[in-house]
């Protein structure tokens, strides 16, 4: 038989117009017991189907990818629209075979169609290519990607043709879990639900599928026996890593694959130069980027499209969502950051809370129990303790004292606070917005500031201190007398 690298194989393979990928994604996912479509359930911060589309997109352009959708089709379409793939509607979900019948018009003009499952998310582009090349090289009608996982329960089992008492490369039939009889259940080789088909034999024979099975559905797996009877070649190709073909049918499997994917992500990052201590305790989403020599401590979560630069240290229990972190940033334990920017050399925490729209300047410090929202802190500015900064523009070299509050909300509208470069805000100041503190101005501790402060001025907004000599001892004497 020809090797995948032969000239014949290459010439077929290079005609992408001849090659489509169909992704089965119409099912409800009954076993998840969910109100939402199964393929939109997320692992590593991304819907199951988006993982499959990402792998497929590395093999063919999006116009050659067809997701077959049905249950909550509009929701699925909307979630995946940015990928540019095509959608085929399977109005009623009458089985995996029926899904391929419904896609006939979309797929019939391609020479080969590779079928992926929207609920088998760990599949890699290189494995898809391997199935395609093997299928072409052997000129098969159907090639099934198979695996031998430690526990085959739940999967369809592969029964190979016996030649002189030995299993051959050809497959005779696939038997679904519920239809296994007697010793058939001992069969360890499983169907991954990933196949390559030559479209011509597929669509010549697909009409013969029947629904005489446990689920009364059209099983795509029955194509094996149908094609075999028609004298077509059906081959099996073993996956090199069975993890890639694990499917999600229950929430237990969802959690297992989430862990596997995050493990894979952490390994990739470590190989690329990031230190991650106790990676099994960290949750790093699939699209997160981290620069070299950054250290991630245990129990850190990096979510969504977060980017972290080089030489940073992210200490334990910090949760960082959709943020851009520069180089050399120190994030101490327990910080919560969302949709914000932290520039080179800045230091946060412990327990800082950056809400959306915060921008922490180069070398700036934000300390314990400081909350920011839509607040920009200029280069080298500091807000180290117990402060709320909302809708604030803060210049460079500003010192914001402990307990400072921007009063940005009047019950109806939000107002801005501007603090110019090098200003010094004494502890426990309340700045009632809209307000502007001029360059280099001082605000006395405990002040309530309601009017703009000019540059280089001192503003005091507090009652004068009064001393009443001997007041306390007199009071104590009075109280003692009364209690006798
Ligand atoms: C299927 C295979 C099984 C294989 C397993 C691998 C069949 C009959 N069985 O079983 O041999 O071991 O995958 O994971 O194919 N779908 C549709 N339309 C439908 C029904 C399903 O698009 O009418 C989609 C689902 O959304 C899902 C995929 O097809 O993404 C597989 O369907 P599912 O019901 O999960 O099949 P399994 O029981 O896992
Ligand atoms: Ca499945």
């Amino acid at each position: 038989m020809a090797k995948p690298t032969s000239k014949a194989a290459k010439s077929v393979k290079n005609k992408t117009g001849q090659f489509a990928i169909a992704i089965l994604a119409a099912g409800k996912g009954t076993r998840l017991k969910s109100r939402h479509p199964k393929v939109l359930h997320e692992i590593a911060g991304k819907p199951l189907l988006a993982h499959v589309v990402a792998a497929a997109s590395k093999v063919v352009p999006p116009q050659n990818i067809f997701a077959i959708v049905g249950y909550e089709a509009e929701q699925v379409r909307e979630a995946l629209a940015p990928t540019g793939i095509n959608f085929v509607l399977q109005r009623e979900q009458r089985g995996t075979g029926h899904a391929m019948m419904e896609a006939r018009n979309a797929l019939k003009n391609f020479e080969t169609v590779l079928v992926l499952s929207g609920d088998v998310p760990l599949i890699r582009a290189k494995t898809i290519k391997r199935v395609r090349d093997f299928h072409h090289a052997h000129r098969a009608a159907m090639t099934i990607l198979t695996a031998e996982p430690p526990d085959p329960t739940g999967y369809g089992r592969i029964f190979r043709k016996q030649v002189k008492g030995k299993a051959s490369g050809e497959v005779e039939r696939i038997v679904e879990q519920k239809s296994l009889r007697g010793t058939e259940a001992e069969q360890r080789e499983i169907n991954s639900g990933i196949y390559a088909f030559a479209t011509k034999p597929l669509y010549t024979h697909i009409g013969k599928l029947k629904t005489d099975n446990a689920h009364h559905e059209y099983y795509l797996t029955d194509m094996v026996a149908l094609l075999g009877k028609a004298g077509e070649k059906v081959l099996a190709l073993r996956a090199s890593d069975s993890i890639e073909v694990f499917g999600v049918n229950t929430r237990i499997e969802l959690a297992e694959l989430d862990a596997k994917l995050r493990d894979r992500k952490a390994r990739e990052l470590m190989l690329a130069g990031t230190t991650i201590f106790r990676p099994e305790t960290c949750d790093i989403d699939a699209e997160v980027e981290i620069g070299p020599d950054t250290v991630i401590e245990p129990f850190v979560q990096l979510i969504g499209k977060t980017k972290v630069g080089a030489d940073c240290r992210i200490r334990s229990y910090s949760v960082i969502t959709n943020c851009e972190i520069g180089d050399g940033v120190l994030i101490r334990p327990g910080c919560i950051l969302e949709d914000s920017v932290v520039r080179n050399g800045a230091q946060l925490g412990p327990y800082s809370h950056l809400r959306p729209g915060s921008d922490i300047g180069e070398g700036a410090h934000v300390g314990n129990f400081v909350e920011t929202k839509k607040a920009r802190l200029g280069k080298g500015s500091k807000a180290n303790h117990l402060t709320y900064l909302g809708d604030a523009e803060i210049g460079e070299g500003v010192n914001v004292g402990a307990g400072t509050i921007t009063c940005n909300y009047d019950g109806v509208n939000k107002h801005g606070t501007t603090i110019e470069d090098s200003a010094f805000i004494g502890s426990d100041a309340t700045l009632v917005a809209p307000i502007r503190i001029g360059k280099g101005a001082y605000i006395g501790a405990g002040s309530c500031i309601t009017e703009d402060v000019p540059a280089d001025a001192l503003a005091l907004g507090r009652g004068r201190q009064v001393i009443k000599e001997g007041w306390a001892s007199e009071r104590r004497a009075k109280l003692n007398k009364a209690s006798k």
Side-chain angles (χ1 to χ4, degrees):
M1 271 188 236
K3 289 241 170 71
T5 45
S6 72
K7 267 191 186 156
K10 265 195 185 140
S11 70
V12 184
K13 166 176 129 184
N14 291 339
K15 285 191 250 165
T16 44
Q18 305 294 333
F19 178 58
I21 294 182
I23 307 175
L24 305 181
K28 181 171 187 282
T30 314
R31 289 163 277 183
L32 281 182
K33 308 213 163 51
S34 171
R35 289 176 298 146
H36 310 293
K38 162 150 86 173
V39 293
L40 291 190
H41 280 261
E42 293 188 354
I43 58 171
K46 210 158 94 166
L48 295 173
L49 182 53
H51 288 283
V52 181
V53 170
S57 302
K58 287 184 192 154
V59 182
V60 291
Q63 61 266 27
N64 287 33
I65 301 176
F66 298 81
I68 301 168
V69 295
Y71 180 73
E72 295 287 1
E74 268 322 297
Q75 256 191 65
V76 179
R77 242 182 239 258
E78 208 175 290
L80 275 295
T83 62
I85 63 165
N86 305 288
F87 296 93
V88 173
L89 186 65
Q90 184 195 11
R91 225 174 280 277
E92 275 179 277
Q93 290 82 57
R94 300 171 63 195
T96 47
H98 180 251
M100 290 303 285
M101 291 177 193
E102 296 287 275
R104 179 196 290 258
N105 284 339
L107 301 174
K108 65 177 187 223
N109 292 328
F110 291 93
E111 204 163 286
T112 310
V113 57
L114 210 125
V115 179
L116 305 179
S117 251
D119 66 348
V120 181
L122 266 49
I123 188 71
R124 287 190 217 233
K126 76 171 187 212
T127 305
I128 299 174
K129 286 180 187 160
R130 212 180 129 225
V131 175
R132 173 195 66 186
D133 294 347
F134 179 92
H135 178 79
H136 285 152
H138 293 87
R139 302 184 178 284
M142 177 178 185
T143 299
I144 306 156
L145 181 68
T146 70
E148 270 197 39
D151 178 12
T153 313
Y155 292 94
R157 306 304 156 76
I158 300 290
F159 291 89
R160 294 180 181 237
K161 267 190 194 162
Q162 300 290 316
V163 175
K164 293 185 190 144
K166 271 196 169 164
S168 73
E170 290 195 54
V171 182
E172 196 170 64
R173 62 203 167 102
I174 296 178
V175 181
E176 290 304 301
Q177 173 76 36
K178 282 205 172 160
S179 309
L180 292 168
R181 307 234 179 294
T183 55
E184 285 178 341
E186 288 161 21
Q187 181 61 20
R188 297 254 328 275
E189 188 175 17
I190 61 117
N191 167 30
S192 68
I194 291 169
Y195 327 90
F197 283 101
T199 32
K200 214 164 168 200
L202 170 68
Y203 284 117
T204 304
H205 300 289
I206 200 168
K208 296 179 200 157
L209 287 178
K210 293 203 179 82
T211 56
D212 53 353
N213 52 52
H215 293 108
H216 307 290
E217 287 185 346
Y218 295 102
Y219 288 170
L220 189 55
T221 46
D222 289 345
M223 284 309 297
V224 175
L226 279 181
L227 288 170
K229 268 184 209 136
E232 299 282 355
K233 196 196 277 180
V234 180
L235 300 180
L237 174 66
R238 198 75 60 89
S240 43
D241 181 0
S242 63
I243 281 178
E244 273 190 67
V245 306
F246 284 171
V248 172
N249 293 317
T250 65
R251 301 219 186 216
I252 294 169
E253 288 159 343
L254 191 76
E256 283 169 356
L257 292 206
D258 177 74
K260 291 214 160 79
L261 207 53
R262 291 182 192 279
D263 177 60
R264 190 195 266 182
K265 176 74 183 179
R267 282 165 181 276
E268 279 167 16
L269 289 166
M270 290 189 280
L271 287 175
T274 299
T275 295
I276 307 175
F277 290 121
R278 308 267 313 277
E280 71 281 6
T281 67
C282 295
D283 273 346
I284 303 179
D285 277 1
E287 290 183 16
V288 168
E289 292 172 29
I290 309 179
D293 289 320
T294 282
V295 178
I296 311 288
E297 293 191 0
F299 299 100
V300 163
Q301 295 190 6
L302 301 173
I303 313 284
K305 296 197 187 306
T306 293
K307 270 190 194 162
V308 181
D311 286 311
C312 297
R313 188 167 192 109
I314 304 188
R315 305 210 48 205
S316 294
Y317 309 110
S318 290
V319 180
I320 304 180
T321 309
N322 295 325
C323 287
E324 211 181 306
I325 314 286
D327 297 332
V329 169
L330 171 62
I331 299 180
R332 296 190 182 87
C335 290
I336 299 182
L337 281 52
E338 197 181 337
D339 295 302
S340 292
V341 177
V342 180
R343 297 182 191 271
N344 297 349
Q347 299 193 7
L348 306 184
Y351 307 111
S352 305
H353 184 187
L354 306 192
R355 289 168 50 205
S358 299
D359 183 332
I360 310 306
E362 214 179 301
H365 290 190
V366 172
N368 354 218
F369 307 107
V370 173
E371 173 182 347
T372 65
K373 185 218 73 175
K374 279 194 196 153
R376 180 189 291 272
L377 233 73
K379 194 170 168 179
S381 288
K382 291 178 183 163
N384 270 331
H385 331 266
L386 303 155
T387 285
Y388 173 60
L389 301 170
D391 303 297
E393 271 296 325
I394 299 168
E396 297 184 1
V398 169
N399 197 309
V400 178
T404 296
I405 305 285
T406 55
C407 308
N408 60 329
Y409 186 48
D410 61 13
V412 182
N413 293 307
K414 300 272 166 70
H415 303 282
T417 296
T418 305
I419 304 177
E420 295 181 354
D421 295 351
S422 312
F424 182 96
I425 315 297
S427 295
D428 196 28
T430 47
L431 308 174
V432 182
I435 196 137
R436 171 179 292 268
I437 313 297
K439 198 169 170 180
Y442 265 65
I443 307 296
S447 291
C448 176
I449 301 297
T450 53
E451 281 164 43
D452 287 357
V453 178
D456 294 320
L458 166 69
L460 291 168
R462 61 189 187 205
R464 251 189 185 288
Q465 183 170 317
V466 175
I467 302 276
K468 297 189 176 176
E469 293 279 359
W471 181 92
S473 49
E474 278 167 30
R475 182 164 187 271
R476 267 194 299 273
K478 235 190 251 173
L479 288 174
N480 280 341
K481 215 172 162 187
S483 71
K484 270 180 194 153

